[in-house]
């Protein structure tokens, strides 16, 4: 099946630093990628939808200036958490769409971010 | 009311037993439904889609009740490896193929 690679798997950083997370589709072209955040014992929350070559669409309540998304190619999307604070500590997951619907959605392995 | 609601559990079930849990959704116009499985701090993995007529995949059976707006997942002959969090997912109707995720039901299979 399709593979989505997400790096890094975990990161610990000091408050105020920026962290970049990469999401790559390895064997297919993903015109659309999604970024989710998951706090402990909570559901996956969609943060933004990223379309190749255009600006990301952010969900209500997600600060676009804090969570910078770049989707420069059909196989790579990045999420940068700028000036991270402890409340940004969470599990971030990307997914790439190979077609319409949940059956063609492939997930990265997630990034656990801990901000000290 | 949340768009997708699940009993968080945990459901503690002995190995070999049958377990079932439901998920309710609020948007009556929803068209696609899925069950995902998520292990701790791992990415969710598609377990099965849920079709209107109900569908079965080995020990797993999924059903949809549109009138009452819920879907169910039944696991027969449960295995230790079935221990995980099961996420109910409903596809919205917007052009971004947005998925609405339940918070998950935690299942613990005990020997």
């Amino acid at each position: 099946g399709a593979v989505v690679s997400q790096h890094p798997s975990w990161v610990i950083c000091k408050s105020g630093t920026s962290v970049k997370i990469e999401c790559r589709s390895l064997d297919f072209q993903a015109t659309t990628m999604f970024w989710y955040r998951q706090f402990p014992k909570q559901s996956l929350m969609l943060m933004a939808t990223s379309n190749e070559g255009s600006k990301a669409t952010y969900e209500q309540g997600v600060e676009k200036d804090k969570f910078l998304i770049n989707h420069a190619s059909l196989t790579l999307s990045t999420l940068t958490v700028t000036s991270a604070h402890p409340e940004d500590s969470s599990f971030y997951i990307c997914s790439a769409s190979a077609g319409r619907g949940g059956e063609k959605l492939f997930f990265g392995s997630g990034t656990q971010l801990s901000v000290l | 009311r949340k768009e997708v609601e699940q009993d968080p559990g945990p459901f503690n079930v002995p190995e070999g037993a049958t377990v079932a849990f439901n998920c309710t959704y609020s948007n009556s116009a929803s068209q696609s439904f899925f069950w995902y499985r998520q292990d701790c701090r791992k990415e969710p993995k598609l377990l099965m889609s849920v079709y209107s007529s109900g569908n079965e995949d080995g020990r797993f059976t999924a059903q949809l009740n549109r009138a009452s707006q819920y879907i169910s997942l039944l696991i027969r002959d449960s295995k230790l490896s079935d221990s995980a969090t099961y996420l109910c997912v409903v596809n919205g109707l917007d052009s971004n193929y947005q998925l609405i995720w339940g918070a998950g039901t935690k299942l613990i299979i005990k020997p």
Side-chain angles (χ1 to χ4, degrees):
Chain A
V3 177
V4 174
S5 174
Q6 183 174 343
H7 292 282
S9 298
W10 57 271
V11 59
I12 302 173
C13 68
K14 293 182 179 179
S15 184
T17 60
S18 294
V19 176
K20 178 185 282 189
I21 303 170
E22 290 190 353
C23 181
R24 293 179 184 272
S25 56
L26 298 184
D27 54 359
F28 68 102
Q29 293 184 331
T31 53
T32 304
M33 288 189 176
F34 304 90
W35 287 96
Y36 296 84
R37 180 168 54 182
Q38 185 177 32
F39 293 106
K41 298 184 180 180
Q42 294 187 24
S43 60
L44 284 170
M45 296 297 297
L46 180 66
M47 298 176 67
T49 302
S50 168
N51 292 298
E52 184 267 336
S54 63
K55 291 183 179 180
T57 302
Y58 289 82
E59 296 300 304
Q60 191 174 9
V62 178
E63 300 175 57
K64 62 180 181 180
D65 294 329
K66 181 171 182 63
F67 299 99
L68 301 178
I69 291 173
N70 184 285
H71 194 161
S73 76
L74 286 170
T75 59
L76 174 64
S77 177
T78 61
L79 168 67
T80 301
V81 183
T82 61
S83 186
H85 291 285
E87 58 266 29
D88 298 323
S89 298
S90 185
F91 190 55
Y92 293 85
I93 307 177
C94 71
S95 66
S97 174
R100 187 177 181 88
E103 293 170 314
K104 294 189 181 301
L105 199 63
F106 302 95
F107 285 86
S109 55
T111 298
Q112 180 64 53
L113 171 63
S114 296
V115 185
L116 304 177
Chain B
R1 181 185 175 187
K2 294 181 181 178
E3 292 186 77
V4 177
E5 287 200 74
Q6 294 183 253
D7 182 338
F11 284 48
N12 291 283
V13 176
E15 188 178 10
T18 296
V19 60
F21 26 84
N22 292 340
C23 162
T24 59
Y25 60 95
S26 61
N27 187 351
S28 59
S30 296
Q31 297 294 322
S32 303
F33 310 88
F34 310 92
W35 282 105
Y36 274 75
R37 171 198 168 123
Q38 186 178 26
D39 294 291
C40 187
R41 286 293 172 250
K42 299 286 187 182
E43 74 277 20
K45 295 183 179 179
L46 180 64
L47 180 65
M48 59 197 305
S49 302
V50 186
Y51 302 124
S52 297
S53 56
N55 49 298
E56 187 175 306
D57 182 2
R59 297 181 295 108
F60 300 85
T61 300
Q63 290 191 314
L64 167 65
N65 185 316
R66 284 193 182 276
S68 300
Q69 293 182 212
Y70 75 84
I71 64 172
S72 63
L73 178 67
L74 178 80
I75 305 175
R76 290 182 299 277
D77 187 24
S78 54
K79 312 291 184 188
L80 295 177
S81 58
D82 294 334
S83 298
T85 296
Y86 291 83
L87 303 170
C88 169
V89 188
V90 176
N91 197 329
L93 299 178
D94 71 308
S95 60
N96 288 332
Y97 324 137
Q98 184 176 358
L99 298 179
I100 312 298
W101 296 77
T105 296
K106 187 171 184 178
L107 175 64
I108 300 171
I109 306 298
K110 298 191 172 184

